[in-house]
Amino acid sequence: MTPTLHIKQLLVCSLLGLVACSDQESDFGRPLEQRSHPVDLVLLEDGRPDPSVLAADQVVRRGNGEEPETLDPHHALGVPASHILRDLFEGLTAESPDGELIPGAALRWNISRDARTYTFYLRRDMTWSNGDPLNAEDFVYSLQRALDPATASSAARILLPIQNAREVLAGELPVEELGFSLLDEFTMQITLTGPTPYFLGLLASPVAYPVNRKNVEEFGDQFSKTGNLVSNGAYVLKEWKPRVSIELEKDPNFREAGQVLMERVFYIPSEDASTEVKQFRSGELDWTNEVPNNQFKWLQKHYPDELVTSPWMGSYFLGFNLTQEPFIDNPSLRMALTLAIDRQIITDKVTQFGEQPSFALVPPGIDGYVPFSPEYADWTQEERDHEALRLYEQAGYSDENPLRIEIRFNTSDNNKKIALAIASMWKQALGVNVTLVNEEFRVFLQNREQKVITQVFRAGWISDYNDPYSFLELFRTGHGRNDYGYSNPSFDALLDEVGTERVRARRERLMFEAERVLMSDHVIVPVFTYVTKRLVNPRLKGWQNNVMDHHPSRFMFMLKSRNPDIQGEQQ
């Protein structure tokens, strides 16, 4: 280890107070001997669990991170809301426990030879949670609502492959001009502007979920509240206690209700991963949203069966506000800050769960795509720091005139530790004075979107579908989630070509070039690619790790415990 690297590690560790930087261990919560152990899983010939091994109470309590802003699928933002919406609703397509696409409300579909027209044949036995019949007209209405500019859905742009969607969102055409056709009560067609290999995956996203027209018209923007919401998924909304829990109950009207074993699902919001661990150990949670980075070694040693890590289709990065000083028209400063981050220390000493240092936007492993890698990815950190200082001074800053900026992030123990580590690196390498600003999730998102007070902010993206375009499209001019104020006609033109290219190899080259343009403009600071990291009750089965980290509760079930005293489990 070089002296510089050793000093930097000591500085980061001392600032963060990380347990993992030493051999210290601390105990907390529930005694180890009281942990729950499942009976052996016995499967029937059809692959379903034998009823004799199932717990009497089929209830799961899932930690879920931030409180969702809304359960309107066309307005919901963020991963926590998406987890809940996947239980409440079902799109034309759905996902299996391993993350693969499966038929949802559509039993089957045909794709035209030019890959532009999709014909969906809906199931004929579907109803809404209130018992009303559900048919193709409901999906047409809902997709029109999602793309209607009056709805103002920030997620609707992922539906731009649909014919005339861009013009409708811009208010240039009415929603009736969208590429939807009703062939009969249970058959519909969707026409696209060009071939879109990931389109079926889009239809499993919340923004493509159906909403009940009578429900929406009766309650307006209150239709997704407790007591009002009519849905079509495996569960219904029973109760929402803000900042306490969201309770779902199995929907007896769901088309496969007889196959759903989990009767109730509680989503528990939490901004503190340490609290989630304590709740897990005391039996209040069966599934944590994440775990604190500085407890990894302790959990790995004492909870090897409960600690679950898995690659995730997402990137963690910082964003620059390009519409305000000091970053507007200042690529040298942006590149200096990008270089002066030791990603290896962050992943080794701060995150510690197998995250991979990243120098690109798109994480590796997405449908075979190889992300762009800048030249400085192969440099040593000492070389990066040296070039960063040169660019910093070129931008007009020095020890006598240091840069003073804010890093803004949403409330999370892990986000704070990462921001603090980066601030210490910028201070040591360049002399930058950083103020950390911690905000509640809604306020954080609003400030990012408004682009008035943000300078540097925590960002990241978990893909909605298995395609690099999910990451790249965020930076298109005018995109609803382009909180960076980035606008480059060359980048936009490349995305337009990607949207119409049918040959896979050419399409990948276009996406590679788009990513190169974006990274050369230094719009973001890539830090690492995600892994999921959580504690899971060993009695909870029916789910599988997958890169999308999508885990519908309808496939889960709870096994009996070997110890009947734990949580009063009845044998």
Side-chain angles (χ1 to χ4, degrees):
M1 178 183 295
T2 65
T4 301
L5 180 59
H6 181 63
I7 292 171
K8 189 179 293 185
Q9 288 191 358
L10 288 176
L11 177 62
V12 171
C13 292
S14 63
L15 285 170
L16 298 181
L18 295 179
V19 172
C21 291
S22 69
D23 294 327
Q24 177 185 355
E25 290 184 358
S26 61
D27 199 356
F28 49 87
R30 192 178 185 187
L32 296 176
E33 64 272 12
Q34 291 186 15
R35 283 183 291 172
S36 174
H37 298 281
V39 299
D40 293 334
L41 175 60
V42 178
L43 298 177
L44 302 175
E45 290 184 2
D46 61 2
R48 290 171 54 78
D50 190 304
S52 66
V53 301
L54 295 176
D57 294 327
Q58 290 295 315
V59 180
V60 61
R61 294 170 174 84
R62 301 177 59 166
N64 200 42
E66 303 280 357
E67 177 89 3
E69 192 170 351
T70 178
L71 292 178
D72 178 345
H74 302 158
H75 279 293
L77 295 174
V79 174
S82 296
H83 290 324
I84 301 168
L85 291 170
R86 274 189 286 273
D87 281 352
L88 290 171
F89 293 90
E90 182 178 55
L92 291 168
T93 60
E95 291 168 309
S96 64
D98 62 3
E100 293 297 316
L101 279 176
I102 58 174
L107 182 61
R108 58 187 179 90
W109 50 82
N110 294 330
I111 305 174
S112 62
R113 295 185 65 179
D114 64 0
R116 292 186 59 234
T117 302
Y118 289 67
T119 304
F120 294 92
Y121 303 89
L122 274 66
R123 303 174 191 272
R124 296 172 179 263
D125 58 348
M126 296 185 299
T127 65
W128 292 98
S129 57
N130 64 357
D132 290 346
L134 187 153
N135 54 42
E137 187 175 356
D138 293 306
F139 277 92
V140 172
Y141 162 75
S142 301
L143 288 165
Q144 288 177 338
R145 177 181 184 265
L147 285 161
D148 192 331
T151 303
S153 168
S154 59
R157 293 188 69 88
I158 73 168
L159 299 175
L160 284 180
I162 295 171
Q163 188 177 59
N164 293 333
R166 192 176 302 276
E167 292 78 6
V168 168
L169 271 179
E172 298 169 1
L173 288 176
V175 295
E176 290 76 16
E177 295 297 318
L178 289 164
F180 305 129
S181 300
L182 274 174
L183 303 186
D184 60 42
E185 187 177 2
F186 297 102
T187 311
M188 62 180 290
Q189 281 187 343
I190 301 179
T191 302
L192 309 182
T193 56
T196 308
Y198 55 87
F199 182 64
L200 290 173
L202 292 184
L203 297 178
S205 302
V207 73
Y209 289 163
V211 292
N212 184 285
R213 184 169 192 161
K214 290 191 297 184
N215 187 217
V216 173
E217 292 175 348
E218 179 178 358
F219 294 105
D221 60 5
Q222 300 297 304
F223 87 92
S224 61
K225 301 291 185 181
T226 304
N228 297 347
L229 183 62
V230 175
S231 55
N232 77 316
Y235 296 89
V236 295
L237 177 62
K238 183 176 182 181
E239 188 172 24
W240 186 347
K241 298 177 181 177
R243 301 191 179 279
V244 177
S245 68
I246 293 177
E247 181 182 357
L248 310 185
E249 190 173 61
K250 187 170 88 168
D251 179 10
N253 291 316
F254 180 59
R255 59 179 180 82
E256 290 187 349
Q259 306 295 312
V260 177
L261 297 174
M262 194 63 68
E263 295 286 342
R264 285 189 298 158
V265 183
F266 289 86
Y267 282 96
I268 314 298
S270 175
E271 297 176 349
D272 181 21
S274 296
T275 299
E276 279 200 328
V277 171
K278 293 176 183 178
Q279 290 174 321
F280 180 86
R281 298 195 67 214
S282 66
E284 299 172 53
L285 285 180
D286 301 296
W287 175 288
T288 68
N289 182 59
E290 57 179 346
V291 295
N293 296 325
N294 64 340
Q295 293 174 13
F296 174 67
K297 288 185 178 179
W298 194 95
L299 292 169
Q300 192 176 45
K301 179 178 179 180
H302 295 282
Y303 280 81
D305 295 334
E306 291 84 354
L307 180 61
V308 179
T309 62
S310 177
W312 199 7
M313 199 175 296
S315 294
Y316 189 108
F317 49 90
L318 300 180
F320 294 120
N321 182 352
L322 305 185
T323 70
Q324 304 287 344
E325 296 294 344
F327 299 116
I328 185 172
D329 298 325
N330 201 340
S332 293
L333 178 60
R334 301 197 300 266
M335 185 173 182
L337 295 177
T338 299
L339 290 171
I341 294 178
D342 193 328
R343 293 151 177 83
Q344 195 69 53
I345 288 181
I346 290 176
T347 55
D348 286 350
K349 300 298 180 182
V350 183
T351 59
Q352 305 177 71
F353 278 86
E355 293 90 347
Q356 293 299 307
S358 176
F359 295 91
L361 167 66
V362 181
I366 295 186
D367 201 25
Y369 173 77
V370 179
F372 168 75
S373 180
E375 180 184 4
Y376 58 80
D378 296 325
W379 297 356
T380 65
Q381 189 57 45
E382 186 175 1
E383 290 172 329
R384 294 187 200 112
D385 287 346
H386 184 271
E387 177 65 6
L389 184 58
R390 186 189 71 81
L391 292 168
Y392 181 72
E393 293 173 345
Q394 178 179 299
Y397 298 95
S398 63
D399 289 340
E400 295 73 29
N401 179 36
L403 174 67
R404 301 179 187 276
I405 55 172
E406 294 178 341
I407 297 179
R408 199 170 295 267
F409 57 92
N410 58 297
T411 304
S412 163
D413 188 47
N414 289 343
N415 286 340
K416 182 177 180 179
K417 285 184 168 69
I418 293 167
L420 189 56
I422 290 173
S424 71
M425 291 172 182
W426 284 349
K427 179 67 175 178
Q428 182 188 25
L430 304 174
V432 178
N433 292 323
V434 178
T435 301
L436 303 185
V437 181
N438 181 1
E439 295 180 321
E440 189 270 332
F441 193 50
R442 296 184 188 184
V443 176
F444 173 70
L445 290 179
Q446 289 170 359
N447 284 333
R448 279 182 45 169
E449 184 178 2
Q450 292 169 1
K451 307 179 189 67
V452 175
I453 62 174
T454 52
Q455 292 181 317
V456 182
F457 52 90
R458 186 201 73 81
W461 188 246
I462 306 299
S463 182
D464 292 315
Y465 49 91
N466 192 355
D467 195 273
Y469 191 82
S470 172
F471 291 84
L472 296 169
E473 68 167 344
L474 301 174
F475 299 87
R476 184 190 285 274
T477 302
H479 191 283
R481 296 186 182 178
N482 185 349
D483 298 333
Y484 321 88
Y486 180 62
S487 179
N488 184 327
S490 297
F491 178 81
D492 294 344
L494 285 166
L495 292 192
D496 290 339
E497 289 188 67
V498 171
T500 58
E501 180 57 63
R502 294 184 61 186
V503 179
R504 176 170 177 168
R506 292 177 184 171
R507 187 171 180 272
E508 288 184 355
R509 283 198 296 270
L510 288 168
M511 290 191 290
F512 181 90
E513 179 62 17
E515 187 176 14
R516 187 197 65 77
V517 170
L518 178 73
M519 297 308 303
S520 298
D521 285 340
H522 309 296
V523 182
I524 63 169
V525 182
V527 182
F528 57 80
T529 58
Y530 278 110
V531 296
T532 57
K533 45 199 176 184
R534 60 171 52 94
L535 293 167
V536 180
N537 187 337
R539 296 169 52 221
L540 183 64
K541 303 296 182 182
W543 63 277
Q544 296 180 37
N545 280 323
N546 61 79
V547 293
M548 299 295 289
D549 195 40
H550 292 174
H551 303 285
S553 301
R554 60 182 274 209
F555 299 113
M556 297 181 181
F557 54 89
M558 193 71 73
L559 293 178
K560 288 179 178 178
S561 171
R562 292 186 185 277
N563 182 351
D565 295 329
I566 294 177
Q567 299 179 14
E569 176 61 41
Q570 298 178 2
Q571 295 287 3

